Amino acid sequence: MLTVVAAIDTSYWATMKTTADLEHLAELRRRRAAFFAPNPAAEERAHERGLLTANERIKLLLDPGSEWAFSNGLGPTPLRLGFGEIHGRPVLYKAHDNSGGASAYNLRSRVNMRAVGHIVDKAALPMFYLFQGAGGQIEDHIMSSGFSAVGGQNVGSRSSVPRRGGVFTAILGNSFAPWAASVADFSVMTPRATATFVSPFIIEFATGKRPDLYEMGGVDVHTKLTGQICRRAEDEAEAMETLRKCFSYLPGHAFESAPRIMSGDPRDRCDEELRSLVPKYPNRPYEVRKIIERVVDRDSFFEWQPEFGMNLVTGFARLDGHTVAIMANQPKVRGGAIDMNALIKARRMVKTARTFSLPLLTFCDTPGIMTTQEEEHKGLLTETTVYISEKMESEVPTVCVTLGKGIGMGYFIMGCSDPEAITFSWPTTQIAYLGPEGGAAVIHRKALAAAEPDDHRRMLDELAEPFRRNMNPWRGAQMATIDNIIDPVETRPRVIQAFEALRRNSSGRGRGGRR
């Protein structure tokens, strides 16, 4: 009798369990369907404004079929979070979903963010932010309990980025307090997007005047004036492709190597045109990108911040398939002199190279620091000191090529003659503390002041001639501050050989390569 009762009891509970499971699975399916359900009205609104939806952006960013959405059982939230792959490598993404309105953070989205934050730290994966949002939801943040729940989470998390992987950000719509752009290793922005600290309504309340969003934080502002955005994209599809392309140059995180992608460009390729690209007369402008493109693997140069600090060209390229960071003076703009914006740009590139253990290749042709009153008032002295300090601590293999002038502190800012670097020089370069005319003008200022105006130019040229004779690179080679003077034609194979030697020498010494 007891056996029969037990059998009946087991069957009853088994039935109940199965029913409960089915109900739970049905609820899970319902919530997933709601999470991924299309919203035609929201899509139409976005498209009318020239924008894409979160789902459309994610599909453009990730490899087809690789998305795995996180916490989709929560139902619709202002944030879409998950895993995916780019070029077959795993990444995390966070996309703002404005289908329900302004896509402000609310309590539900913050819970989701906190959970993903733990995964980010543990998984050591790159993070891709697709940003369009109104910051925090005021109703949730107005009390200390809501505000303190977020605290410095977004900004403070940057300290752990080198441990977990890179941060890549696209600003794709009106964005307020887009911390992801400020901490990004690479950022891109579209013409229909804005990025400001607060919304114009808060500014209007405080000042009585509502600013124009695009004048305050549009793509022209951030690519040309502030330098906070690395590249502009003409539309969102180009923005996603730009993020994917940038990621192809970088490792998944700081403790692995960047992928090697061979282009078929011979490592021993020489280029006769390199002999004619730098003008015979040192003060004449030329386009330094033509030299970069002839030295690196063909079609591999990917420029950063092309509209900011244009007297310095920075970016990534490949040499024999290996990623290298690039810095080059641009004689077409301000003669290649280094000003405050160029220093900011250089420091960012050095920091990126250090974070991801990328070798650094520099091309030097600069008359030195732009020491105007305007630049001095920006804090040029401090910025120069900070940059040189960070450059000395960067601990990445560095190869420098002096193309034309290497004058004063500008020569050292480009890393030339650093004992830890390999420094090449073309035979026609001029390297000195001051340029020949500047040096002669300082030393012989009394004689020049007494000269007749018609004789001033001729006299200055004559007095500068001894300086010119002593500025050639042969003296540097004799003093071992220049490692080799090379024919411009052979620049590519010599640079590849140098990086190979530095790479072998730095193996087993940690990320930076120095003991």
Side-chain angles (χ1 to χ4, degrees):
M1 183 64 180
L2 290 174
T3 304
V4 173
V5 171
I8 294 172
D9 200 41
T10 302
S11 175
Y12 171 78
W13 286 109
T15 302
M16 290 297 293
K17 183 179 180 182
T18 303
T19 303
D21 285 345
L22 291 174
E23 290 175 352
H24 291 320
L25 287 173
E27 177 65 11
L28 175 60
R29 293 190 186 99
R30 185 190 69 77
R31 287 177 176 265
R32 280 185 175 177
F35 186 84
F36 289 107
N39 186 335
E43 290 179 9
E44 184 177 353
R45 286 195 303 270
H47 294 167
E48 286 177 351
R49 297 171 56 199
L51 304 174
L52 299 180
T53 64
N55 279 337
E56 290 170 330
R57 291 165 177 168
I58 293 166
K59 287 180 180 178
L60 287 171
L61 176 69
L62 302 177
D63 295 346
S66 68
E67 181 190 359
W68 188 85
F70 183 77
S71 292
N72 53 40
L74 284 175
T77 74
L79 293 176
R80 304 294 295 273
L81 303 131
F83 298 99
E85 292 182 356
I86 297 178
H87 305 306
R89 294 192 286 158
V91 300
L92 284 160
Y93 69 83
K94 181 170 81 171
H96 288 74
D97 186 355
N98 65 338
S99 61
S103 67
Y105 296 104
N106 57 21
L107 289 175
R108 177 186 287 179
S109 63
R110 285 208 307 275
V111 171
N112 209 357
M113 286 172 61
R114 196 176 300 118
V116 168
H118 295 309
I119 293 178
V120 169
D121 288 337
K122 293 176 182 177
L125 294 178
M127 188 75 188
F128 286 77
Y129 292 87
L130 311 182
F131 208 101
Q132 176 189 351
Q137 188 164 303
I138 293 177
E139 291 89 339
D140 290 337
H141 284 75
I142 202 72
M143 300 299 291
S144 62
S145 58
F147 178 71
S148 62
V150 176
Q153 179 178 344
N154 286 315
V155 180
S157 64
R158 184 64 181 93
S159 61
S160 62
V161 166
R163 177 168 58 84
R164 70 172 186 245
V167 175
F168 304 82
T169 299
I171 305 295
L172 304 169
N174 292 339
S175 304
F176 309 116
W179 304 114
S182 67
V183 302
D185 295 292
F186 178 80
S187 55
V188 64
M189 188 172 179
T190 62
R192 294 185 178 274
T194 62
T196 56
F197 197 95
V198 296
S199 75
F201 306 106
I202 294 177
I203 295 175
E204 183 179 21
F205 173 77
T207 67
K209 182 180 179 181
R210 186 189 301 184
D212 180 275
L213 268 178
Y214 291 96
E215 291 180 0
M216 182 177 175
V219 67
D220 284 338
V221 172
H222 290 307
T223 56
K224 296 179 179 180
L225 298 181
T226 70
Q228 293 181 106
I229 298 296
C230 299
R231 289 278 291 255
R232 81 164 66 215
E234 293 308 315
D235 55 37
E236 296 192 29
E238 183 181 330
M240 297 303 103
E241 183 57 35
T242 301
L243 290 180
R244 289 175 60 87
K245 184 173 183 179
C246 179
F247 182 55
S248 72
Y249 288 87
L250 296 174
H253 57 83
F255 295 99
E256 70 178 22
S257 298
R260 186 181 186 187
I261 301 176
M262 303 299 294
S263 65
D265 195 357
R267 57 178 291 154
D268 60 352
R269 172 175 59 80
C270 293
D271 195 317
E272 295 287 339
E273 289 191 36
L274 288 172
R275 288 183 183 149
S276 60
L277 289 177
V278 176
K280 178 180 178 181
Y281 299 100
N283 293 327
R284 290 187 178 177
Y286 64 92
E287 175 56 75
V288 77
R289 292 182 184 89
K290 292 181 179 179
I291 292 175
I292 297 172
E293 290 164 356
R294 282 168 169 77
V295 172
V296 303
D297 293 356
R298 288 192 177 97
D299 301 320
S300 73
F301 181 50
F302 178 70
E303 188 171 355
W304 277 32
Q305 297 181 287
E307 300 174 77
F308 176 76
M310 293 189 292
N311 40 336
L312 188 76
V313 175
T314 62
F316 293 150
R318 293 189 177 92
L319 276 169
D320 197 29
H322 295 284
T323 299
V324 295
I326 299 282
M327 290 197 325
N329 303 118
Q330 174 59 288
K332 278 183 62 176
V333 181
R334 309 193 85 173
I338 297 172
D339 58 11
M340 191 70 165
N341 285 352
L343 277 171
I344 293 170
K345 191 172 177 179
R347 185 148 64 97
R348 181 167 187 178
M349 183 49 62
V350 166
K351 183 179 180 180
T352 301
R354 181 182 185 184
T355 298
F356 295 103
S357 303
L358 299 177
L360 179 64
L361 172 61
T362 72
F363 295 92
C364 175
D365 190 343
T366 178
I369 304 291
M370 179 69 72
T371 53
T372 64
Q373 179 173 299
E374 179 185 4
E375 296 298 321
E376 292 278 6
H377 289 180
K378 293 177 182 178
L380 185 65
L381 178 62
T382 298
E383 186 66 28
T384 302
T385 304
V386 170
Y387 169 79
I388 291 176
S389 176
E390 291 190 5
K391 177 70 178 66
M392 292 176 67
E393 295 176 359
S394 64
E395 300 184 350
V396 296
T398 302
V399 174
C400 309
V401 183
T402 306
L403 309 174
K405 303 175 295 298
I407 306 299
M409 190 59 70
Y411 182 73
F412 299 107
I413 284 175
M414 298 306 292
C416 301
S417 294
D418 184 333
E420 300 290 339
I422 291 180
T423 300
F424 294 127
S425 177
W426 288 4
T428 54
T429 58
Q430 295 181 345
I431 302 169
Y433 178 70
L434 279 175
E437 289 81 7
V442 171
I443 292 178
H444 302 289
R445 58 186 179 276
K446 291 183 179 180
L448 288 167
E452 294 293 330
D454 293 341
D455 294 334
H456 190 277
R457 180 71 254 179
R458 177 190 57 77
M459 187 175 180
L460 180 61
D461 286 340
E462 292 176 355
L463 293 172
E465 186 56 34
F467 289 84
R468 294 191 189 98
R469 289 197 299 269
N470 292 324
M471 291 172 67
N472 64 68
W474 311 109
R475 292 176 64 86
Q478 291 169 357
M479 299 172 65
T481 57
I482 294 173
D483 295 296
N484 206 348
I485 299 171
I486 60 173
D487 184 339
V489 168
E490 61 183 6
T491 302
R492 172 180 167 82
R494 295 301 185 199
V495 168
I496 289 175
Q497 290 173 347
F499 274 125
E500 186 171 326
L502 290 172
R503 194 177 300 116
R504 292 175 181 274
N505 189 47
S506 64
S507 61
R509 297 188 183 182
R511 290 196 300 126
R514 294 182 186 173
R515 294 190 185 277

